[in-house]
Amino acid sequence: MQATAQAQPNIALVKYWGKRDLDRNLPAVSSLSVTLDSLWTRMSVSFDGREADSLEVNGADSPDMLARVSRCLDYVAGEDRPRARVTSESNFPIGAGLASSASAFAALVVAADAAAGTGHDRLTLARLAGAISGSAARSLYGGIVELIAGADEIDVHRLMDADEWPLEVIVAVTEEGPKPVGSGDAMIRGAETSPFYPGWIEQQDADMQTAREAVIARGFAALAGVAEHNCLKMHSVMWSSRPPIVYWNKATLACMETVRALQAEGHSVFFTIDAGPQVKAVCLPKSAGAVESALAQTEGVIHTMQSRLGAGARLIGA
Ligand code: DP6
């Protein structure tokens, strides 16, 4: 009745922004991501039959996330399951646009499935994680991952193994506090108020196709072009929402300039930014040292983290 699982966050290169079905949390668009290696979340679940579920995050009670965690346990093990003690540990900041909910819910479904002995297959676990947090479905898989948004269900699969195309990701952290608007609420606002939202939805399949072909051909420049374009389109939807949602700060822009300067020097690197002010630079291994040191020296960057691509969510010893 007890199990521990680890998952790593994933970074979308073609973004999920928008929901088709709010109750089931179905995404309005397909997305493509890379799963990281050195950032992790570990979740332990013990169905010990206590009176009510409890959640501890990095050693402290965490009532805020408890409702979503309980719902996730219900999805995996059924509403009549025993109540559980859940503990979570991460080696990176939570709720600051670093995809902490993706790694948390991916690890949670794997741990809960093992602890409850439900034996769900991987795609089912991905769908259950995605019903709580859309991006979490992708962290069930390693390497480069595609999520296809269907009318009733999502399909998620690995497009390429982590070692088939050894990309590196450097995260420039420019702010450590929690974000002002959660991504779920921000997406809903965008759909309701941004004049750019219909165009965003309409072009997504073409961006997916371009990115998929670039990955299969290992065409870095083509992937860079579509990923930056897709990221800036998503932020255009955010900026044009009412009230507007601007996650960037001065250092976010400075990091984008740093990436542009590295590109001008001939480095294979591109940026992407999620629902937060951090900048993620994706590059080929030969450029990783230069990218890391240029971002670390960029004004306003607090620290950087570097990761290669890694594996999907899995059980680990407690
Ligand atoms: C900007 O998965 O956090 O990171 O389904 O509401 O939990 P919910 O949203 P979430 O949104 C992630 C948005 C993004 C882009 C992406 O990861 O594709």
Side-chain angles (χ1 to χ4, degrees), residues 10-12 14-17 19 25 31 68 101 130 132-136 138 179 183-185 187 234 238 273-275:
N10 67 78
I11 307 294
V14 178
K15 307 292 188 187
Y16 149 47
W17 197 253
K19 296 172 195 272
N25 202 43
S31 53
R68 274 169 109 197
S101 65
I132 301 290
S133 184
S135 55
R138 300 185 308 239
K179 52 189 158 201
S183 42
D185 290 341
M187 286 179 202
M234 176 184 76
M238 297 170 179
I273 305 161
D274 293 298

Side-chain angles (χ1 to χ4, degrees), residues 107-187:
L108 185 61
V109 292
V110 171
D113 178 59
T118 32
H120 294 304
D121 62 27
R122 188 118 303 232
L123 179 58
T124 303
L125 290 176
R127 287 174 173 160
L128 295 174
I132 301 290
S133 184
S135 55
R138 300 185 308 239
S139 275
L140 268 294
Y141 299 81
I144 304 180
V145 179
E146 240 187 326
L147 184 154
I148 307 297
D152 291 323
E153 293 279 19
I154 53 166
D155 180 32
V156 198
H157 57 261
R158 193 186 56 230
L159 191 59
M160 197 171 262
D161 261 328
D163 53 6
E164 282 181 84
W165 196 16
L167 300 173
E168 295 268 346
V169 180
I170 288 118
V171 181
V173 177
T174 66
E175 216 170 283
E176 289 183 307
K179 52 189 158 201
V181 191
S183 42
D185 290 341
M187 286 179 202

Side-chain angles (χ1 to χ4, degrees), residues 4-312:
T4 302
Q6 171 172 324
Q8 288 93 248
N10 67 78
I11 307 294
L13 308 185
V14 178
K15 307 292 188 187
Y16 149 47
W17 197 253
K19 296 172 195 272
R20 182 188 304 266
D21 180 331
L22 288 182
D23 291 338
R24 298 174 61 208
N25 202 43
L26 278 176
V29 287
S30 301
S31 53
L32 185 145
S33 60
V34 292
T35 302
L36 302 184
D37 183 48
S38 60
L39 280 61
W40 50 256
T41 302
R42 294 181 184 141
M43 284 279 196
S44 293
V45 176
S46 169
F47 288 109
D48 60 6
R50 58 189 47 219
E51 229 162 73
D53 292 333
S54 70
L55 172 66
E56 246 178 55
V57 177
N58 291 332
D61 272 339
S62 183
D64 294 358
M65 244 186 44
L66 180 60
R68 274 169 109 197
V69 163
S70 292
R71 198 148 49 83
C72 185
L73 296 176
D74 289 349
Y75 288 174
V76 174
E79 283 175 25
D80 55 354
R81 64 179 171 82
R83 302 299 101 178
R85 169 167 196 253
V86 179
T87 57
S88 159
E89 237 188 293
S90 281
N91 68 346
F92 64 96
I94 291 174
L98 286 174
S100 55
S101 65
S103 50
F105 289 107
L108 185 61
V109 292
V110 171
D113 178 59
T118 32
H120 294 304
D121 62 27
R122 188 118 303 232
L123 179 58
T124 303
L125 290 176
R127 287 174 173 160
L128 295 174
I132 301 290
S133 184
S135 55
R138 300 185 308 239
S139 275
L140 268 294
Y141 299 81
I144 304 180
V145 179
E146 240 187 326
L147 184 154
I148 307 297
D152 291 323
E153 293 279 19
I154 53 166
D155 180 32
V156 198
H157 57 261
R158 193 186 56 230
L159 191 59
M160 197 171 262
D161 261 328
D163 53 6
E164 282 181 84
W165 196 16
L167 300 173
E168 295 268 346
V169 180
I170 288 118
V171 181
V173 177
T174 66
E175 216 170 283
E176 289 183 307
K179 52 189 158 201
V181 191
S183 42
D185 290 341
M187 286 179 202
I188 295 167
R189 193 188 298 175
E192 286 171 352
T193 63
S194 168
F196 300 159
Y197 186 78
W200 159 254
I201 300 288
E202 199 181 287
Q203 291 175 18
Q204 188 77 348
D205 284 347
D207 286 2
M208 283 295 290
Q209 183 63 15
T210 306
R212 183 183 304 120
E213 284 169 8
V215 167
I216 291 165
R218 292 178 181 71
F220 191 88
L223 184 61
V226 69
E228 288 190 354
H229 172 67
N230 188 268
C231 162
L232 293 173
K233 269 196 299 197
M234 176 184 76
H235 285 275
S236 304
V237 172
M238 297 170 179
W239 283 43
S240 56
S241 296
R242 289 190 153 176
I245 299 156
V246 178
Y247 287 113
W248 301 359
N249 59 30
K250 271 205 299 213
T252 313
L253 280 158
C255 288
M256 290 162 77
E257 277 177 23
T258 297
V259 170
R260 285 280 176 265
L262 287 159
Q263 288 170 336
E265 286 167 21
H267 287 290
S268 293
V269 59
F270 64 86
F271 64 78
T272 190
I273 305 161
D274 293 298
Q278 333 302 355
V279 175
K280 290 108 184 192
V282 180
C283 63
L284 292 178
K286 61 175 170 18
S287 290
V291 172
E292 196 280 329
S293 88
L295 285 172
Q297 286 166 40
T298 299
E299 197 173 344
V301 171
I302 300 167
H303 66 101
T304 60
M305 294 181 287
Q306 189 171 337
S307 179
R308 57 183 65 182
L309 307 194

